[in-house]
Amino acid sequence: MSTEWPGVLDVDALKPGHVAQVDRLADAARAGDWASVLALLDAGHGLTANHSRITGRSWFAPLHQAAWLGAPEQVAERLLRRGAWRSLRTADGDLPSDIARSRGHDHLRRVLELPETGEPEQRRFAAWDRHLAALIAERTERLGPVRIRPVQTEVIVRDRLESLWFGYPGMYGGFRLSTHQDRLFVESWSRVVGGSGQAHVITESGCVLVEEGFV
């Protein structure tokens, strides 16, 4: 399953209608109006279960709000079925399970808990994030400045995603990420620039270009 990283935080780089829909989703989740949350997600409109308010500071997606409010277990399960990530972190670095635990909502433990990651895995994810951020900055330096939320590569591994797509505004393309063992694979391109494709392999030690000229 391929999913999208909701990383654009610049409202000027997005369509106003999309920003309004994300705000509606965020408002409904904050109010605990789960029927509206699920209806908005099922209606499409470019919304995902991992969107947080674009102008917000907390980066609370619906699953974080469910954990905060102590929503029924069935609500969390329905969000997960719609693609919510257990490993998505807030701006403070909290997982939904961390929030539920701190709020005393033990009934959500079964659906939200993830296997613990050891120190080696945490170092690897942190290194991937750093190298990927540098690669994205390098590949987009000729475009206008856009505020983005750094990609959290751990979601690919911990939520067992086949791949993760980050469409970058003005690039007419973006970055497709996948993992294999201790490597992060990144393909990036612009649809309007022939031969712009590049493939990189990221490890803890660095980022290496392995192919270019496609697309």
Side-chain angles (χ1 to χ4, degrees):
M1 178 179 63
S2 176
T3 49
E4 184 171 356
W5 176 252
V8 180
L9 303 179
D10 192 336
V11 295
D12 293 331
L14 297 167
K15 294 179 180 179
H18 176 70
V19 175
Q21 287 290 86
V22 175
D23 282 345
R24 287 182 62 195
L25 180 69
D27 288 342
R30 184 177 60 182
D33 181 357
W34 306 118
S36 294
V37 167
L38 297 173
L40 284 165
L41 293 176
D42 290 343
H45 304 298
L47 292 178
T48 76
N50 300 299
H51 267 109
S52 57
R53 192 182 306 276
I54 293 163
T55 58
R57 298 181 180 180
S58 69
W59 297 350
F60 266 48
L63 196 61
H64 299 111
Q65 295 287 14
W68 179 270
L69 295 170
E73 185 177 351
Q74 294 85 347
V75 167
E77 290 174 336
R78 289 169 182 165
L79 291 171
L80 291 169
R81 285 199 294 271
R82 287 163 174 80
W85 300 326
R86 293 180 176 91
S87 62
L88 184 63
R89 296 185 183 274
T90 65
D92 290 332
D94 292 326
L95 302 173
S97 58
D98 297 328
I99 296 170
R101 191 182 310 112
S102 69
R103 299 277 291 176
H105 300 315
D106 293 338
H107 66 285
L108 291 173
R109 180 174 180 177
R110 183 188 67 82
V111 293
L112 296 182
E113 290 286 354
L114 286 164
E116 292 291 331
T117 56
E119 195 170 312
E121 289 82 8
Q122 292 171 10
R123 286 199 306 268
R124 183 187 310 139
F125 296 146
W128 286 357
D129 289 355
R130 289 195 306 272
H131 297 315
L132 177 61
L135 175 61
I136 291 174
E138 178 185 338
R139 291 283 276 156
T140 61
E141 64 182 348
R142 296 183 181 180
L143 303 175
V146 175
R147 278 201 320 123
I148 64 171
R149 176 179 179 176
V151 180
Q152 298 169 15
T153 56
E154 69 177 305
V155 302
I156 307 171
V157 175
R158 301 189 73 186
D159 274 280
R160 300 181 179 181
L161 306 182
E162 178 183 323
S163 64
L164 182 66
W165 170 253
F166 177 33
Y168 195 93
M171 190 174 177
Y172 299 101
F175 301 82
R176 187 174 303 283
L177 320 175
S178 58
T179 62
H180 180 67
Q181 296 179 347
D182 59 350
R183 291 174 172 81
L184 176 70
F185 294 88
V186 185
E187 291 181 310
S188 56
W189 62 84
S190 170
R191 295 187 302 276
V192 298
V193 180
S196 63
Q198 290 187 355
H200 292 80
V201 173
I202 292 177
T203 63
E204 282 190 63
S205 59
C207 177
V208 178
L209 175 67
V210 295
E211 185 182 358
E212 60 182 332
F214 56 90
V215 179

